[in-house]
Amino acid sequence: MRGLNKTTFNADRTQARIQGGALIEEVIAQAYANDAQIITGNCNCVGNMGAALGGGYGNLMGLYGFSVDNIISLEVVLANGTAATVSANQHPDLWWALRGAGHNFGIVTSAVMKSYPTPKPKNMAWTGGLFYTEDRIEGVVQAIQDLVLKEPMNVFLYYTTTGPPTFNATVLVTPFYFGTEAEGRKAFQSLLALKPYKDSTAHIPYNEWNTAANSFCIKGGRKPSYGAGFANMVPATWRAIWNAYVDFLKLPGTQFSSILTECYSLTYAQSIMKSSSSFANRDVRFNGAAIPNYQDPNLDREAEAFGNKVRALWRSTDSFPTNRTYVNFAFGDEPNDVVFDTSTARLKQIKQQYDPQNVFNQYFDIQPAS
């Protein structure tokens, strides 16, 4: 599949055909070279199609919606070995299922997605790092909770370390504003007013927006992800998570571990009906992931305990009646209802039609309806 890595555009650059093996970094590079934008995820080494089929959060979703909202058609190899073009007018049930649970219904060899012509001088955003000492946690968390994110904005919160030689735990916020630096600083004034001890933000081009996250692409080691969705940022919860994080870092070999939460402008995405696709998380404001990062398998038990503790803390104040987790952030022990929510029952029915032998059962196994 990695050999299928091309991204090509139609004449007016309003549509792009993206092959199934293309990485996010490759898609962005082609879009930038062609004076265009495509909604992608934020981690360069991830397969673009895998991220998109789970829903597809990204820097530009405040303007364009989720990746699933930008798919026009899909070329799919089905469980019976046949190839099919899937769109709103061709196999509409499968079209609904693929956009949110696509990993369970076939092999997507290519997709036609919406593309947005954008000349390079305008294809710029203000983003980067704002670093805070731990005494600012409550203020930072409350500021993020209170932020009204406009369409060009998103914000991430990390617990991470300062790196070598000391690997001290620190608080990192990465604001994002598609526009000028002055506009960005004004939009995020509430966070800047908390006086970060380091400001590494800059006005940078589209093809560099994801660069700061390249540390997540380093191969090797053990990096499970324990994810949870939640409706509110609660300062007391984040203080407890900080304490758990600092305790875990005391174990030798855990210094590259991190905790992250993503928050996007959802106004446009929520204007699209939840029933339009199987993706079920339009109502989830925050998505968090605890990622213990280590080499020694003897730390598996401690890493599992740490990940489960952080996940439980998020869920304790998530403001949802049932647990919710974005499928691409999930650990793997979640039942279908947690990652697919109200889409689960219909997904089982469609599974019975298109994959009755459950060939595609490797990722949040959806059992065909009996």
Side-chain angles (χ1 to χ4, degrees):
M1 182 68 84
R2 268 297 288 136
L4 300 175
N5 56 21
K6 301 291 191 298
T7 300
T8 55
F9 294 83
N10 65 352
D12 62 3
R13 292 168 289 124
T14 59
Q15 295 182 14
R17 180 174 291 279
I18 304 169
Q19 292 186 317
L23 302 180
I24 286 171
E25 181 177 39
E26 294 168 338
V27 175
I28 290 174
Q30 287 301 309
Y32 186 67
N34 283 274
D35 289 318
Q37 294 178 335
I38 298 172
I39 178 72
T40 72
N42 301 319
C43 189
N44 279 332
C45 58
V46 170
N48 184 75
M49 204 60 64
L53 294 176
Y57 290 84
N59 283 319
L60 296 169
M61 63 168 293
L63 296 167
Y64 307 139
F66 290 98
S67 289
V68 294
D69 304 325
N70 285 267
I71 298 172
I72 297 170
S73 66
L74 297 160
E75 298 298 322
V76 187
V77 178
L78 302 176
N80 63 7
T82 63
T85 299
V86 181
S87 68
N89 299 316
Q90 297 170 283
H91 308 286
D93 282 347
L94 186 59
W95 169 248
W96 178 88
L98 285 165
R99 292 174 304 121
H103 322 81
N104 299 88
F105 287 88
I107 300 170
V108 177
T109 58
S110 71
V112 177
M113 296 188 68
K114 296 177 183 176
S115 172
Y116 302 89
T118 310
K120 290 183 181 66
K122 293 187 177 297
N123 211 350
M124 305 280 291
W126 175 74
T127 190
L130 302 174
F131 294 82
Y132 298 88
T133 51
E134 61 88 16
D135 59 303
R136 294 287 195 268
I137 286 174
E138 286 77 9
V140 166
V141 170
Q142 192 62 53
I144 293 173
Q145 166 69 20
D146 294 341
L147 265 176
V148 178
L149 293 176
K150 304 297 185 183
E151 287 83 354
M153 301 168 66
N154 67 62
V155 63
F156 291 8
L157 170 62
Y158 296 87
Y159 289 166
T160 185
T161 75
T162 55
T166 60
F167 289 100
N168 292 324
T170 192
V171 180
L172 167 62
V173 175
T174 59
F176 176 93
Y177 191 94
F178 177 54
T180 68
E181 178 173 352
E183 291 169 333
R185 289 188 175 277
K186 182 178 179 181
F188 287 99
Q189 179 55 39
S190 61
L191 283 164
L192 292 166
L194 294 170
K195 300 186 184 308
Y197 70 81
K198 180 181 178 181
D199 180 343
S200 65
T201 59
H203 196 231
I204 58 176
Y206 172 53
N207 61 339
E208 297 179 16
W209 294 352
N210 289 353
T211 303
N214 282 348
S215 60
F216 288 106
C217 295
I218 297 172
K219 294 182 178 180
R222 306 165 91 82
K223 305 167 190 172
S225 172
Y226 295 81
F230 41 101
N232 294 293
M233 295 282 283
V234 179
T237 300
W238 279 91
R239 174 57 66 179
I241 291 171
W242 172 264
N243 293 338
Y245 177 63
V246 171
D247 284 345
F248 184 67
L249 289 180
K250 293 175 183 177
L251 297 172
T254 62
Q255 67 270 23
F256 293 105
S257 302
S258 60
I259 292 171
L260 70 92
T261 287
E262 301 182 353
C263 182
Y264 299 88
S265 170
L266 294 174
T267 303
Y268 177 78
Q270 290 179 344
S271 72
I272 298 169
M273 293 182 63
K274 183 176 180 178
S275 61
S276 66
S277 69
S278 62
F279 176 68
N281 278 27
R282 292 182 192 273
D283 58 332
V284 178
R285 187 179 176 199
F286 301 97
N287 290 290
I291 308 174
N293 186 337
Y294 57 101
Q295 301 284 336
D296 185 357
N298 291 319
L299 291 174
D300 284 349
R301 181 174 297 181
E302 288 85 352
E304 183 178 5
F306 164 67
N308 280 325
K309 183 174 184 177
V310 173
R311 186 169 62 173
L313 284 166
W314 277 324
R315 288 175 172 173
S316 71
T317 55
D318 64 9
S319 299
F320 291 120
T322 59
N323 294 334
R324 304 286 297 280
T325 299
Y326 177 42
V327 66
N328 289 343
F329 276 17
F331 175 67
D333 61 348
E334 298 88 347
N336 285 348
D337 288 347
V338 170
V339 292
F340 300 124
D341 195 43
T342 54
S343 296
T344 303
R346 185 179 175 191
L347 286 169
K348 290 181 178 181
Q349 295 291 334
I350 299 170
K351 186 77 167 177
Q352 174 61 35
Q353 179 181 357
Y354 286 97
D355 186 11
Q357 301 304 313
N358 202 17
V359 173
F360 299 109
N361 62 4
Q362 303 301 304
Y363 195 64
F364 291 97
D365 185 12
I366 298 173
Q367 290 290 321
S370 55

